[in-house]
Amino acid sequence: MLTPAQTHRRYMTRFIPSITAYVLLLVGSNIVIEQFQPQGAALIALALLPALAIVAVIWSMGMWVIEQPDEFVRMRMVQAMLIALALTLSVQTVWAFIEDTNMVPPRPRHLAFPLWCGGLACAQLVLRLRDGGHHGD
């Protein structure tokens, strides 16, 4: 069994390269698309590159949950993830219904993960305040 410190270290060795790849691939693919205006498979590949990096970020977060030896810390993270999921699904669903009326522009679907991350940060803060900032901080 890993210690919390080992779990954190493993998480960071997965997360930092993944999020760095996301930023670099997002910027790079946008530049290439703008400069060269690729078509077909090349355009799809360029669009997929940052998405694959986000999948790696999500995987690193999932592995943290699996490897976290502290049951309370793991439970609190899963609760925060579920709250973030509920917020994301709620915002996306409400926007979609309003979008159906043509009163708002199409929702930026690629922002679902950043929205979820914002919800995760808010949920973690609320849970930490609820728990008095104890255990696992």
Side-chain angles (χ1 to χ4, degrees):
M1 177 180 284
L2 298 172
T3 66
Q6 290 170 321
T7 301
H8 179 73
R9 196 167 29 259
R10 287 171 66 120
Y11 168 70
M12 294 307 284
T13 61
R14 294 172 181 139
F15 178 81
I16 296 297
S18 299
I19 200 70
T20 301
Y22 166 68
V23 170
L24 294 175
L25 290 169
L26 180 63
V27 171
S29 65
N30 284 337
I31 290 171
V32 170
I33 289 169
E34 185 178 309
Q35 294 292 320
F36 299 102
Q37 299 177 352
Q39 302 294 315
L43 181 58
I44 291 171
L46 286 166
L48 286 175
L49 289 174
L52 292 175
I54 286 294
V55 169
V57 170
I58 294 167
W59 171 78
S60 72
M61 296 173 90
M63 290 304 296
W64 180 92
V65 170
I66 291 168
E67 294 174 346
Q68 177 54 248
D70 187 316
E71 292 178 16
F72 178 79
V73 172
R74 184 175 53 242
M75 179 204 60
R76 191 165 69 179
M77 177 59 87
V78 170
Q79 287 176 339
M81 289 174 160
L82 289 171
I83 292 167
L85 178 61
L87 289 170
T88 302
L89 290 173
S90 297
V91 168
Q92 292 283 326
T93 300
V94 168
W95 190 277
F97 277 100
I98 297 171
E99 184 181 322
D100 287 344
T101 68
N102 294 319
M103 297 297 293
V104 296
R107 65 191 181 281
R109 289 167 184 84
H110 63 283
L111 295 180
F113 183 68
L115 175 63
W116 181 83
C117 290
L120 180 64
C122 291
Q124 287 175 314
L125 176 63
V126 168
L127 292 174
R128 180 169 289 168
L129 293 172
R130 180 199 71 186
D131 298 335
H134 293 77
H135 201 74
D137 297 328

